[in-house]
Amino acid sequence: MAAFLSMASPAYAKDYTLDYGVETSTDGDVGSTSCPYGVCRVGIKKLNITLIIFRYRDDPRHARVEIEGKPGCCFFELGAQSQRIVLDDNPPPSLRFFTGAAARGLLLFQNEPAGILDLRFHLD
């Protein structure tokens, strides 16, 4: 009985399912994972990046997305390190991400396109 309960508890902690698709100029990957509310980290080894999704129960209509990768990657429009998305439209719009440099103060850099990220959220 104790073994059954210990196996069941990880499934209980998973609050929503995330489907993702990432396309870069050289490769792409798709997948699905269960995520807890709060911070969800999804490692995509094939592309050497990590998706970080911030989603909280007290703000169910929004999520914040970050992508970590090799140095110089990954930024969103205008060199932003994270992108806030509205989940009223599911799936949210595709997010373009870039390599280059983060925005600093009033300085904006012309970053190179690195890829496109698509997300779909499913409540359990």
Side-chain angles (χ1 to χ4, degrees):
M1 180 73 166
F4 174 74
L5 291 175
S6 67
M7 288 174 26
S9 54
Y12 177 76
K14 295 176 171 94
D15 295 314
Y16 67 94
T17 302
L18 174 69
D19 297 334
Y20 61 87
V22 183
E23 183 178 346
T24 67
S25 60
T26 59
D27 209 349
D29 199 9
V30 297
S32 183
T33 189
S34 294
C35 287
Y37 278 88
V39 181
C40 179
R41 299 178 77 80
V42 181
I44 304 174
K45 293 182 183 190
K46 180 178 180 181
L47 300 175
N48 199 26
I49 61 174
T50 301
L51 304 178
I52 307 165
I53 312 295
F54 299 89
R55 185 152 186 235
Y56 301 100
R57 289 184 194 277
D58 60 348
D59 189 12
R61 295 183 54 229
H62 298 97
R64 189 166 50 91
V65 180
E66 293 180 6
I67 304 175
E68 291 180 347
K70 62 185 179 187
C73 184
C74 299
F75 302 100
F76 294 99
E77 297 287 340
L78 303 176
Q81 291 184 320
S82 68
Q83 178 72 48
R84 187 171 184 211
I85 56 176
V86 177
L87 301 177
D88 287 345
D89 298 326
N90 197 15
S94 296
L95 301 174
R96 295 180 352 152
F97 62 96
F98 301 84
T99 59
R104 288 191 301 234
L106 297 175
L107 296 174
L108 297 177
F109 298 95
Q110 182 69 33
N111 291 327
E112 295 293 319
I116 296 174
L117 171 64
D118 288 300
L119 301 172
R120 184 179 300 254
F121 296 84
H122 303 279
L123 298 177
D124 289 346

